[in-house]
């Protein structure tokens, strides 16, 4: 992998990740851009104890542009985009309309391929491996920023999810705090550790799932399963079999096997509802341990957390979406119409079809 860092016309950082070591990235951003001005602010909810990012400047962000005006495609001739070069393998750049900025953290865009009409599932194993390297490198770099406590790599896919740019891409949020969802996991891990005399909660969950009926696919280094209490109609958790706190901890065997396992999982997601259905909308979310101190979690250390990816779709059946209505949105109590065991069975059925 070759990494080349440069700057866009408004001062934002852009990084090329190339498969070839002889790639030259010297194109300049020819757009007449002013410096990016953000108004991001983190506010704490005194009742729930969680955080809300207030970012009014995002109201003006790019919204469903035509394909020939996509800002994530390479620049070509007089059509100038966020990527100055005429081609790329993987590229990462600071979001022009970030939810988090400055002392409030940082937001980045990850373009998986220069092919506008592709998806992550269309990548080769070599390309998917390069994306993993980019995720890992950005996790490392962002973790050293003074304002950053947790790094979150994720992909939103599909208009139903709310995606406003059709080009295959994901995002990285670097938060200045431990996110509420991670805090809940750490508290559960702390309680379990105390009640069991030191047993690791993530290890216990993985052991139970490996012995059960909800495993979707399994390799030497990774296992994917539908969790016992899945919130979403089709939800899969992907774990490395050797517990590590973050992407930096993956060994060579896990890194090598990941593209094959993950690409197969994504391709199965696209086959859940039949060959004639549009691509399955999904969210793919990497859960990594915070880089800050964990004193508030009673004896839990970073190494107790287990890196894993959670993949889920809001489509519950052909032509129907799962909406977060009263119970889910009002009380955060999910109601799942698809039994997790049936979801796992379906995801096994569509293997290689």
């Amino acid at each position: 992998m070759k990494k080349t860092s440069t700057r866009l016309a408004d001062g934002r950082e852009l990084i090329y990740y190339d498969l070839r070591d002889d790639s030259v990235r010297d194109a300049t951003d020819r757009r007449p851009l002013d410096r990016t001005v953000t108004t991001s602010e983190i506010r704490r909810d005194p009742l729930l104890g969680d955080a809300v990012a207030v970012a009014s400047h995002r109201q003006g962000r790019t919204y469903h542009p035509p394909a020939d005006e996509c800002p994530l495609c390479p620049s070509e001739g007089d059509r100038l985009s966020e990527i100055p070069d005429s081609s790329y393998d993987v590229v990462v750049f600071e979001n022009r309309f970030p939810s988090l900025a400055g002392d409030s953290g940082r937001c980045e865009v990850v373009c998986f391929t220069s092919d506008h009409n592709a998806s992550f599932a269309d990548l080769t194993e070599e390309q998917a491996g390069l994306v993993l390297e980019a995720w890992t490198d950005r996790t490392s770099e962002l973790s050293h920023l003074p304002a950053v406590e947790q790094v979150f790599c994720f992909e939103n896919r599909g208009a139903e999810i709310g995606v406003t740019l059709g080009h295959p891409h994901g995002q990285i949020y670097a938060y200045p705090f431990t996110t509420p969802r991670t805090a809940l996991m750490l508290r559960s891990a702390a309680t379990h550790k105390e009640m069991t005399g030191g047993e690791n909660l993530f290890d216990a969950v993985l052991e139970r799932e490996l012995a059960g009926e909800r495993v979707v696919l399994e390799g030497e280094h990774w296992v994917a399963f539908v969790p016992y209490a899945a919130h979403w109609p089709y939800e899969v958790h992907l774990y490395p079999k050797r517990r590590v706190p973050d992407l930096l901890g993956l060994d060579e065997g896990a890194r090598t096997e990941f593209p094959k396992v993950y690409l197969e999982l994504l391709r199965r997601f696209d086959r859940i509802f039949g060959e004639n259905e549009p691509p399955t909308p999904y969210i793919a979310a990497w859960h990594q341990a915070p880089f800050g101190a964990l004193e508030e979690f009673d004896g839990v250390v970073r190494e107790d957390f287990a890196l894993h990816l959670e993949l889920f779709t809001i489509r519950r059946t052909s032509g129907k979406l799962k909406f977060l209505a009263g119970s889910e949105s009002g009380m955060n109590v999910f109601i799942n119409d698809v039994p997790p065991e049936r979801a796992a069975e379906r995801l096994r059925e569509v293997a290689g079809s």
Side-chain angles (χ1 to χ4, degrees), residues 111-291:
C111 298
F112 304 138
T113 172
S114 60
D115 185 353
H116 180 86
N117 297 311
S119 69
F120 201 116
D122 295 322
L123 301 182
T124 66
E125 291 185 19
E126 186 179 34
Q127 290 173 311
L130 183 61
V131 176
L132 177 62
E133 290 302 312
W135 283 331
T136 305
D137 181 70
R138 296 314 300 155
T139 296
S140 175
E141 293 291 328
L142 293 170
S143 71
H144 290 97
L145 296 181
V148 173
E149 189 168 314
Q150 186 174 359
V151 179
F152 175 46
C153 307
F154 65 100
E155 179 191 3
N156 298 328
R157 194 264 194 119
E160 299 94 330
I161 297 293
V163 175
T164 57
L165 297 176
H167 196 103
H169 73 287
Q171 300 180 66
I172 301 175
Y173 276 23
Y175 297 100
F177 51 80
T178 297
T179 59
R181 189 174 177 85
T182 302
L184 283 174
M185 293 184 193
L186 290 169
R187 292 189 187 100
S188 295
T191 299
H192 185 86
K193 190 174 186 178
E194 180 181 6
M195 293 180 62
T196 60
E199 183 181 62
N200 183 275
L201 174 61
F202 295 96
D203 290 350
V205 168
L206 189 57
E207 182 180 0
R208 182 178 72 173
E209 295 294 357
L210 279 167
E213 59 180 315
R214 290 179 296 275
V215 172
V216 173
L217 60 91
E218 181 179 358
E220 180 181 355
H221 301 279
W222 294 87
V223 60
F225 57 87
V226 178
Y228 170 73
H231 290 59
W232 299 93
Y234 291 91
E235 175 182 342
V236 175
H237 293 189
L238 178 63
Y239 276 69
K241 291 184 176 179
R242 183 179 70 87
R243 172 167 44 89
V244 295
D246 51 43
L247 289 165
L248 303 171
L250 292 175
D251 59 26
E252 190 59 33
R255 292 186 181 281
T256 300
E257 186 181 76
F258 171 77
K260 180 179 181 180
V261 173
Y262 187 49
L263 289 171
E264 171 61 20
L265 192 56
L266 291 180
R267 289 162 186 167
R268 291 191 193 189
F269 253 59
D270 271 345
R271 296 193 289 259
I272 293 173
F273 305 105
E275 297 294 335
N276 297 322
E277 287 291 313
T280 301
Y282 65 73
I283 293 175
W286 279 110
H287 291 263
Q288 306 191 79
F291 288 94

Side-chain angles (χ1 to χ4, degrees), residues 278-327:
T280 301
Y282 65 73
I283 293 175
W286 279 110
H287 291 263
Q288 306 191 79
F291 288 94
L294 302 181
E295 285 88 351
E296 63 181 291
F297 301 109
D298 297 329
V300 170
V301 296
R302 287 195 81 247
E303 288 68 28
D304 288 329
F305 193 87
L307 167 76
H308 62 284
L309 181 140
E310 298 185 6
L311 173 69
F312 61 89
T313 178
I314 62 171
R315 186 178 292 165
R316 58 186 174 88
T317 189
S318 179
K320 297 179 181 179
L321 300 181
K322 164 67 177 178
F323 292 102
L324 300 190
S327 186

